[in-house]
PDB file of all heavy atoms in Angstrom:
ATOM      1  N   PRO A 301       0.049 100.776-105.675  1.00  0.00           N
ATOM      2  CA  PRO A 301       0.319  99.635-104.890  1.00  0.00           C
ATOM      3  C   PRO A 301       0.119  98.327-105.604  1.00  0.00           C
ATOM      4  O   PRO A 301      -0.643  98.198-106.449  1.00  0.00           O
ATOM      5  CB  PRO A 301      -0.721  99.853-103.753  1.00  0.00           C
ATOM      6  CG  PRO A 301      -1.862 100.508-104.415  1.00  0.00           C
ATOM      7  CD  PRO A 301      -1.316 101.288-105.489  1.00  0.00           C
ATOM      8  N   TYR A 302       1.004  97.261-105.141  1.00  0.00           N
ATOM      9  CA  TYR A 302       0.870  96.051-105.748  1.00  0.00           C
ATOM     10  C   TYR A 302       1.275  95.031-104.792  1.00  0.00           C
ATOM     11  O   TYR A 302       1.974  95.425-103.779  1.00  0.00           O
ATOM     12  CB  TYR A 302       1.695  95.880-107.070  1.00  0.00           C
ATOM     13  CG  TYR A 302       3.226  95.804-106.915  1.00  0.00           C
ATOM     14  CD1 TYR A 302       3.926  94.559-106.670  1.00  0.00           C
ATOM     15  CD2 TYR A 302       4.010  96.899-106.563  1.00  0.00           C
ATOM     16  CE1 TYR A 302       5.248  94.410-106.464  1.00  0.00           C
ATOM     17  CE2 TYR A 302       5.370  96.813-106.270  1.00  0.00           C
ATOM     18  CZ  TYR A 302       5.986  95.594-106.327  1.00  0.00           C
ATOM     19  OH  TYR A 302       7.354  95.479-105.914  1.00  0.00           O
ATOM     20  N   GLY A 303       0.998  93.733-105.088  1.00  0.00           N
ATOM     21  CA  GLY A 303       1.351  92.764-104.112  1.00  0.00           C
ATOM     22  C   GLY A 303       0.195  91.910-103.581  1.00  0.00           C
ATOM     23  O   GLY A 303      -0.938  92.371-103.793  1.00  0.00           O
ATOM     24  N   ARG A 304       0.600  90.844-102.779  1.00  0.00           N
ATOM     25  CA  ARG A 304      -0.528  89.995-102.288  1.00  0.00           C
ATOM     26  C   ARG A 304      -1.226  90.460-101.097  1.00  0.00           C
ATOM     27  O   ARG A 304      -2.363  90.159-100.690  1.00  0.00           O
ATOM     28  CB  ARG A 304       0.071  88.620-102.071  1.00  0.00           C
ATOM     29  CG  ARG A 304       0.034  87.687-103.303  1.00  0.00           C
ATOM     30  CD  ARG A 304       0.311  86.135-102.985  1.00  0.00           C
ATOM     31  NE  ARG A 304      -0.438  85.605-101.841  1.00  0.00           N
ATOM     32  CZ  ARG A 304      -1.796  85.436-101.834  1.00  0.00           C
ATOM     33  NH1 ARG A 304      -2.563  85.673-102.793  1.00  0.00           N
ATOM     34  NH2 ARG A 304      -2.298  84.775-100.682  1.00  0.00           N
ATOM     35  N   MET A 305      -0.456  91.347-100.333  1.00  0.00           N
ATOM     36  CA  MET A 305      -0.979  91.778 -98.952  1.00  0.00           C
ATOM     37  C   MET A 305      -1.867  93.131 -99.231  1.00  0.00           C
ATOM     38  O   MET A 305      -1.612  94.116 -98.459  1.00  0.00           O
ATOM     39  CB  MET A 305       0.210  92.064 -98.043  1.00  0.00           C
ATOM     40  CG  MET A 305       1.037  90.805 -97.777  1.00  0.00           C
ATOM     41  SD  MET A 305       0.032  89.315 -97.523  1.00  0.00           S
ATOM     42  CE  MET A 305      -0.507  89.589 -95.846  1.00  0.00           C
ATOM     43  N   TRP A 306      -2.851  93.082-100.015  1.00  0.00           N
ATOM     44  CA  TRP A 306      -3.561  94.278-100.470  1.00  0.00           C
ATOM     45  C   TRP A 306      -4.720  94.553 -99.375  1.00  0.00           C
ATOM     46  O   TRP A 306      -5.344  95.609 -99.489  1.00  0.00           O
ATOM     47  CB  TRP A 306      -4.228  94.087-101.822  1.00  0.00           C
ATOM     48  CG  TRP A 306      -4.840  92.774-102.147  1.00  0.00           C
ATOM     49  CD1 TRP A 306      -4.346  91.708-102.552  1.00  0.00           C
ATOM     50  CD2 TRP A 306      -6.236  92.448-101.705  1.00  0.00           C
ATOM     51  NE1 TRP A 306      -5.291  90.677-102.658  1.00  0.00           N
ATOM     52  CE2 TRP A 306      -6.426  91.049-102.019  1.00  0.00           C
ATOM     53  CE3 TRP A 306      -7.236  93.228-101.178  1.00  0.00           C
ATOM     54  CZ2 TRP A 306      -7.617  90.510-101.887  1.00  0.00           C
ATOM     55  CZ3 TRP A 306      -8.519  92.510-100.968  1.00  0.00           C
ATOM     56  CH2 TRP A 306      -8.714  91.076-101.354  1.00  0.00           C
ATOM     57  N   TYR A 307      -5.164  93.619 -98.515  1.00  0.00           N
ATOM     58  CA  TYR A 307      -6.359  93.803 -97.837  1.00  0.00           C
ATOM     59  C   TYR A 307      -6.425  95.065 -96.862  1.00  0.00           C
ATOM     60  O   TYR A 307      -7.440  95.733 -97.036  1.00  0.00           O
ATOM     61  CB  TYR A 307      -6.651  92.427 -96.989  1.00  0.00           C
ATOM     62  CG  TYR A 307      -7.718  92.537 -95.950  1.00  0.00           C
ATOM     63  CD1 TYR A 307      -9.017  92.453 -96.470  1.00  0.00           C
ATOM     64  CD2 TYR A 307      -7.606  92.860 -94.567  1.00  0.00           C
ATOM     65  CE1 TYR A 307     -10.134  92.553 -95.546  1.00  0.00           C
ATOM     66  CE2 TYR A 307      -8.527  93.059 -93.807  1.00  0.00           C
ATOM     67  CZ  TYR A 307      -9.906  92.926 -94.230  1.00  0.00           C
ATOM     68  OH  TYR A 307     -10.990  93.007 -93.395  1.00  0.00           O
ATOM     69  N   PRO A 308      -5.501  95.301 -96.038  1.00  0.00           N
ATOM     70  CA  PRO A 308      -5.698  96.554 -95.209  1.00  0.00           C
ATOM     71  C   PRO A 308      -5.669  97.708 -95.910  1.00  0.00           C
ATOM     72  O   PRO A 308      -6.620  98.672 -95.670  1.00  0.00           O
ATOM     73  CB  PRO A 308      -4.443  96.499 -94.174  1.00  0.00           C
ATOM     74  CG  PRO A 308      -3.786  95.171 -94.342  1.00  0.00           C
ATOM     75  CD  PRO A 308      -4.279  94.583 -95.579  1.00  0.00           C
ATOM     76  N   TYR A 309      -4.850  97.800 -97.014  1.00  0.00           N
ATOM     77  CA  TYR A 309      -4.803  99.022 -97.903  1.00  0.00           C
ATOM     78  C   TYR A 309      -6.271  99.274 -98.456  1.00  0.00           C
ATOM     79  O   TYR A 309      -6.772 100.303 -98.526  1.00  0.00           O
ATOM     80  CB  TYR A 309      -3.807  98.754 -98.958  1.00  0.00           C
ATOM     81  CG  TYR A 309      -3.882  99.972-100.006  1.00  0.00           C
ATOM     82  CD1 TYR A 309      -2.969 101.093 -99.743  1.00  0.00           C
ATOM     83  CD2 TYR A 309      -4.520  99.888-101.136  1.00  0.00           C
ATOM     84  CE1 TYR A 309      -2.968 102.154-100.665  1.00  0.00           C
ATOM     85  CE2 TYR A 309      -4.442 100.981-102.086  1.00  0.00           C
ATOM     86  CZ  TYR A 309      -3.689 102.103-101.788  1.00  0.00           C
ATOM     87  OH  TYR A 309      -3.758 103.102-102.747  1.00  0.00           O
ATOM     88  N   PHE A 310      -6.828  98.143 -98.959  1.00  0.00           N
ATOM     89  CA  PHE A 310      -8.101  98.159 -99.720  1.00  0.00           C
ATOM     90  C   PHE A 310      -9.237  98.602 -98.804  1.00  0.00           C
ATOM     91  O   PHE A 310     -10.117  99.578 -99.056  1.00  0.00           O
ATOM     92  CB  PHE A 310      -8.398  96.776-100.161  1.00  0.00           C
ATOM     93  CG  PHE A 310      -9.667  96.557-100.798  1.00  0.00           C
ATOM     94  CD1 PHE A 310     -10.296  97.347-101.784  1.00  0.00           C
ATOM     95  CD2 PHE A 310     -10.519  95.449-100.338  1.00  0.00           C
ATOM     96  CE1 PHE A 310     -11.546  97.027-102.349  1.00  0.00           C
ATOM     97  CE2 PHE A 310     -11.810  95.225-100.819  1.00  0.00           C
ATOM     98  CZ  PHE A 310     -12.294  96.070-101.817  1.00  0.00           C
ATOM     99  N   VAL A 311      -9.168  98.205 -97.563  1.00  0.00           N
ATOM    100  CA  VAL A 311     -10.274  98.631 -96.606  1.00  0.00           C
ATOM    101  C   VAL A 311     -10.146  99.978 -96.048  1.00  0.00           C
ATOM    102  O   VAL A 311     -11.211 100.586 -95.931  1.00  0.00           O
ATOM    103  CB  VAL A 311     -10.160  97.580 -95.313  1.00  0.00           C
ATOM    104  CG1 VAL A 311     -11.281  98.067 -94.334  1.00  0.00           C
ATOM    105  CG2 VAL A 311     -10.583  96.106 -95.725  1.00  0.00           C
ATOM    106  N   ARG A 312      -8.840 100.488 -95.973  1.00  0.00           N
ATOM    107  CA  ARG A 312      -8.777 101.951 -95.725  1.00  0.00           C
ATOM    108  C   ARG A 312      -9.422 102.808 -96.875  1.00  0.00           C
ATOM    109  O   ARG A 312     -10.022 103.820 -96.586  1.00  0.00           O
ATOM    110  CB  ARG A 312      -7.305 102.276 -95.543  1.00  0.00           C
ATOM    111  CG  ARG A 312      -6.827 101.957 -94.024  1.00  0.00           C
ATOM    112  CD  ARG A 312      -5.480 102.674 -93.712  1.00  0.00           C
ATOM    113  NE  ARG A 312      -4.348 102.496 -94.631  1.00  0.00           N
ATOM    114  CZ  ARG A 312      -3.698 101.426 -94.538  1.00  0.00           C
ATOM    115  NH1 ARG A 312      -3.799 100.484 -93.534  1.00  0.00           N
ATOM    116  NH2 ARG A 312      -2.601 101.167 -95.328  1.00  0.00           N
ATOM    117  N   ARG A 313      -9.185 102.295 -98.074  1.00  0.00           N
ATOM    118  CA  ARG A 313      -9.768 103.068 -99.290  1.00  0.00           C
ATOM    119  C   ARG A 313     -11.358 103.095 -99.126  1.00  0.00           C
ATOM    120  O   ARG A 313     -11.973 103.977 -99.442  1.00  0.00           O
ATOM    121  CB  ARG A 313      -9.389 102.501-100.568  1.00  0.00           C
ATOM    122  CG  ARG A 313      -7.947 102.542-100.847  1.00  0.00           C
ATOM    123  CD  ARG A 313      -7.213 103.874-100.924  1.00  0.00           C
ATOM    124  NE  ARG A 313      -6.826 104.653 -99.739  1.00  0.00           N
ATOM    125  CZ  ARG A 313      -5.913 104.438 -98.828  1.00  0.00           C
ATOM    126  NH1 ARG A 313      -5.043 103.466 -99.050  1.00  0.00           N
ATOM    127  NH2 ARG A 313      -5.756 105.194 -97.854  1.00  0.00           N
ATOM    128  N   LEU A 314     -11.884 101.831 -98.738  1.00  0.00           N
ATOM    129  CA  LEU A 314     -13.284 101.849 -98.599  1.00  0.00           C
ATOM    130  C   LEU A 314     -13.798 102.775 -97.411  1.00  0.00           C
ATOM    131  O   LEU A 314     -14.824 103.565 -97.531  1.00  0.00           O
ATOM    132  CB  LEU A 314     -13.868 100.533 -98.279  1.00  0.00           C
ATOM    133  CG  LEU A 314     -13.493  99.355 -99.333  1.00  0.00           C
ATOM    134  CD1 LEU A 314     -14.154  98.008 -98.984  1.00  0.00           C
ATOM    135  CD2 LEU A 314     -14.073  99.845-100.691  1.00  0.00           C
TER     136      LEU A 314
END
Side-chain angles (χ1 to χ4, degrees):
Y302 73 97
R304 274 198 39 75
M305 303 310 288
W306 48 266
Y307 172 80
Y309 175 87
F310 171 55
V311 176
R312 278 199 299 278
R313 300 297 74 84
L314 297 184

